[in-house]
Each structure stands twice: as C-alpha cells, then as structure tokens.
Amino acid sequence: MTKAAWIRLALLAAAIGGLEGACRAGWLPRTAIIPPTEMAAGGWRAVASGELNEDMAQTFSVVAIAIMVSLAGGFLVGFAIHGRPRLRRALDPFLGAYYAIPHFAFYPLLIVLFGLGPGPLIALAVMFGVVAMIVATMNGLDRVPRVLGKTAQVMRLTGTDELWRVRLPAALPHLFAGVKLAIAYSFIGVIAGEFILSTKGIGHAIAFAYDNFDARSMYGLILFVLLLVASVNLTLHTVEQRLIQRRSR
Amino acid sequence: MADGASALAAAERQDRLEAWGGVALTVLSLAALWQGLHYLAGDSAIASLPATLRETWHLLSGPRYWPHFRETMSAFLWALLIAVTGGVGIGVALGGHRLSGEVAEPVLVALYSIPKVTLYPVVLLFFGIGLNAKIAFGALHGVIPVAIFAMNAVRNVNPTWLRTAATMNLGPLQTARHILVPATIPEIFSGLRIGLSLTLLGVMIGELFASQRGIGHLLMTSIEVHDVRRIMAVVLIVSVLAVTLNALMLAIDRRLHRRV
C-alpha cells in the first residue's frame, strides 16, 4: 500500500473513532445520530434477521434488470448512432444537455405510466444509466486507432470478424467507463426511487425507518447500502485499471 | 487576406446555422415523440403537448404557484453558493498539496458515485424539515464535482509557469492573479457546470421527500391527486430551466476553453 493509502486509512479510522467518542460523550444529539458501532449492529441485525430479504430481493433484481437494459440498450443505440454521422450531429445537443435534467422529476410521471411497482423504478434507472453507456460507446468507437481498421482490411477480415476481433477489443476500456457509470447510476436511480415513493425495497425500508424514528435500523441500512455500493464501485475500478494496464503493455 | 477572413466568417456562420438546425430538429423530434406517446398511452398517462403548454402557462401566469418556484430557486441559489465556495476551496487546497490530494481523491470519487439520497434522512435529522435541509442536500450533491474539477485544475498548472513567476520575483498575490487564476478558471468552470446541474438535482430530490413547499412538493401533490397535466407541466418547466442553464454555462465554458 502507498503512503497516501495508509494516511487515508488512518484518517478514516480516526473519523469513525471520533464520531463514536462524540456520540458516546453526548456532544451530538442522540436524536440526530447514533454511534457507528450501533449503526453497524443495527445494520447487521436488519440484514441477518431476514426481515429485509424481500426488500433486498426486490432492489437487487430491479437493479440487475436496469443494468442489463442500460448496458445492452446503450451499446446498441450508441453503436447505431455512431454509424450515422448526420443523426449524431442532430442528437449531440440533446446528449450534451441530458444529464442537466433532474431525472427524478420524471419519477411521478413514470408511476402514472407504469403503476407503482418495479416498472417505474426500472424505467427511472434506465433513463439515468443508458445515456452514459450510449455516450461511452460512441466515444470508445471514436477512439479506435484508424491503423487498426486498415490492418483489418489488409488482412481481409470480414465485417463481423473485424468487429469482434479488432474494433470491440480496442474500444473495450472506453466501453468499460460507460459500464461503470451505468451500474452506479442504476443503483442510484433504483434506491432513490424506492426512497421517494415505493412500497418495497431497501430505499423504502430506509424511508420507513426514518418515518418511524427507528434510528438504529435507518443508520444500519444506510451504512449497508453505502458499503455495498462502494465495494461494487471499487471492484469495477480495479477491473478498469487492469483493462487499461493490459492495453498499455 | 480580407477574402480569407470573410470566408472564415462565412464558414463559422454556416457552422452556427447547422448547430441551431440540430437543436431545432431535436426539439421537433422530441415534440413528435411526446405527441406519439400521448396517442399511444392516452390522456390519463401522458397529457398532450398543447394541454401541457396551457397548464404550464396557467402555473406560470398566476401568482398562486410563485411561492413554490421561489422556494426552490432560493434553496437552489444558496446551495449553489455553498457548493461553489466550498468546492473551489477544498479543490484548490487539495490540488496545491500533493499528498493531501492523493489521500482525498479516492474518497471524493467514492462519495461522487454513492446514492446520496440514502443520506437525506441524516440531513433531515440534523437540519429539520424545511429550507435548510434542501440547501444542505443540494450543496452535498454539488460540492464534490466542483472540488474534483478544481483539484485537477490546480494540479495541472504547468510547473514552468510557476518557475517563471518565481524567476520574475512575483509575490504570492501576483502569482495568483497572473498565473493561477487564468490557468485554472476554464477547468474550474467545467466543474461548476456539472456542480450546478447536480445541485439542482439534489434540491429537487430533497423536495420530493418530506417537504411542504417547492417545485418537488408541487410534483408530489400532483401525483397524489393524479393530475397528469400538472405533473407534465412541472416536469417541462424543470427540464427547460435545467437545459437552458446548462446551455448558457456550456457557451461560457467553450469560450473560456478557446481563449487559453
């Protein structure tokens, strides 16, 4: 581990320890925040007791569907637009402004359209994630060095062979940047939607605990979600680094 | 010479014309898509374009709904102020000190990609329901991208320029004014653009949950009474506002980057 990583770890430990001490000493109001050890215990109890199994199953299946739709749809749409420069120029201002729109404003509309359930959550998460994948796909295909295409021509590869053996592998690290974003955005979209208005799911469980002044479950679940998403992101980051390294070799 | 300049100007005009044509085409196809969905899904799911425009006019023309817009705007502006000053402060400090930057960067990136909405109850517990919670939540969304961009801007200042400044015996203030500020402003501004969008997003999310006023609250009450027209009118207002702000910032952004 580097020096910076050690310092980061030490600071993190100090922050958690400080929070624990401040809570135990009564410097922070107990109605607002509880000690981290109690958060961890609350989270462990909530997850281990099995009360949340249904909520977790709902959240994870919705996130998984949203990720798959975002990745497959984003790749196909990005690939299609990339081959049509005129269409791409017309869409450019739209794609550039897309992430300025607060998508959660659409959530009530999606509930009206799809009813309360997994439908609007999937739609919200896909709306959020798919455009990142579209943009990453187009950028990735843009950055395939032209010499690779020429080499493929010289070797008389057919269209599909050229795509599978040359273009896609060359674009892979850029595509992966889109994969990373689409996955993070799917989690954010689903959990935020559940939190705002839903009858099931981890996000709903957090809002439910908040409404019932159940600070232990609430902080426990928040901790659980944040640790889960942070570890997913860390894994993806490691894979991405490996992909970039492999290419520069 | 004069011919070359006028040809260049003509080409630029042509480019601008094409860009506007693209925007017009996008708006038209979105309108067509909207109307098509309306015919497919029916009045109870998607209001038609003319009906939505009438409702938008109704919302904006009378004084009845202005308190909601004012509430959201004031929360947004305060949150933006905090996000920008805090973000630039943090970013410049971390960018100026190499080790601190290395320590903090992964933490900032991790904070950027977690679902911050889960932290909203915590914000509510600390600030109570009301304007302050929205401001805090909006600022929480905006501050991180601003800090990340500002940090990279300071890190990427060409060291030769700083050495030149030292050779010329510039004081710290002079170095800041003539070297650091002009060198970092374009990149910091790009961060501001993203931070602005995210701050608006944060304020809106804050209003969708446990709120008594604001545009988000208007949305939630509209869904409770199943007023599709109003939902769509509010969504339209928010989207147009967000896209216009973004276009404005993008235009300034491009100008700043071109100058360097």
Side-chain angles (χ1 to χ4, degrees), chain B residues 202-226:
Chain B
V203 171
M204 288 285 306
I205 295 179
E207 287 182 340
L208 290 175
F209 184 84
S211 168
Q212 272 114 30
R213 259 198 288 168
I215 299 179
H217 173 71
L218 200 60
L219 259 179
M220 288 310 267
T221 47
S222 314
I223 185 177
E224 274 157 26
V225 296
H226 200 92

Side-chain angles (χ1 to χ4, degrees), chain A residues 8 32 89-90 100 102 105 219 222 233, chain B residues 18 26 102-103 106 113 118 235 242:
Chain A
R8 196 179 309 127
R89 283 192 76 163
Y219 273 110
I222 292 174
N233 289 338
Chain B
E18 263 182 41
T26 312
E102 270 174 42
V103 171
S113 53
T118 51
V235 169

Side-chain angles (χ1 to χ4, degrees), chain A:
Chain A
M1 250 176 19
T2 59
K3 190 175 156 201
W6 281 112
I7 296 177
R8 196 179 309 127
L9 204 66
L11 282 177
L12 203 64
I16 295 172
L19 186 62
E20 180 84 30
C23 288
R24 296 264 179 222
W27 294 338
L28 291 168
R30 239 199 117 72
T31 47
I33 193 159
I34 59 173
T37 45
E38 282 182 35
M39 290 182 199
W44 174 250
R45 203 193 41 205
V47 172
S49 69
E51 287 163 26
L52 280 173
N53 283 355
E54 219 176 301
D55 288 316
M56 285 203 278
Q58 154 110 1
T59 300
F60 292 141
S61 55
V62 169
V63 169
I65 295 171
I67 289 173
M68 282 188 287
V69 175
S70 297
L71 293 185
F75 176 75
L76 289 176
V77 172
F79 191 77
I81 298 177
H82 185 260
R84 291 167 183 74
R86 288 185 73 116
L87 177 67
R88 186 172 175 183
R89 283 192 76 163
L91 282 176
D92 252 353
F94 173 70
L95 293 177
Y98 189 78
Y99 278 101
I101 300 170
H103 296 87
F104 296 96
F106 285 89
Y107 186 54
L109 191 67
L110 295 172
I111 291 179
V112 172
L113 277 177
F114 297 102
L116 204 55
L121 290 171
I122 295 173
L124 181 70
V126 169
M127 271 175 82
F128 208 31
V130 75
V131 172
M133 190 62 202
I134 293 177
V135 172
T137 306
M138 295 198 298
N139 284 344
L141 292 173
D142 276 347
R143 290 190 188 169
V144 176
R146 213 169 269 175
V147 64
L148 293 183
K150 284 183 189 154
T151 314
Q153 236 172 14
V154 170
M155 297 187 167
R156 297 197 176 181
L157 292 188
T158 59
T160 38
D161 263 354
E162 190 255 355
L163 189 64
W164 276 113
R165 290 168 195 275
V166 180
R167 245 196 302 169
L168 289 186
L172 193 61
H174 301 288
L175 294 183
F176 199 79
V179 172
K180 214 171 70 167
L181 279 179
I183 291 177
Y185 287 171
S186 293
F187 268 106
I188 293 178
V190 170
I191 290 172
E194 287 175 346
F195 181 81
I196 294 164
L197 192 62
S198 172
T199 51
K200 248 200 251 171
I202 300 178
H204 170 253
I206 294 175
F208 187 77
Y210 168 78
D211 285 336
N212 289 296
F213 306 105
D214 183 359
R216 276 175 195 227
S217 302
M218 187 189 91
Y219 273 110
L221 287 171
I222 292 174
L223 193 67
F224 172 69
V225 170
L226 295 187
L227 284 180
L228 176 80
V229 175
S231 48
V232 169
N233 289 338
L234 191 68
T235 314
L236 291 171
H237 178 77
T238 318
V239 175
E240 191 183 30
Q241 292 302 319
R242 205 163 289 170
L243 276 178
I244 293 172
Q245 246 169 27
R246 200 178 67 181
R247 214 166 76 127
S248 62
R249 204 160 50 194

Side-chain angles (χ1 to χ4, degrees), chain B residues 7-21:
Chain B
L8 214 67
E12 207 165 280
R13 248 199 319 274
Q14 178 75 26
D15 262 10
R16 206 169 296 167
L17 209 66
E18 263 182 41
W20 280 110

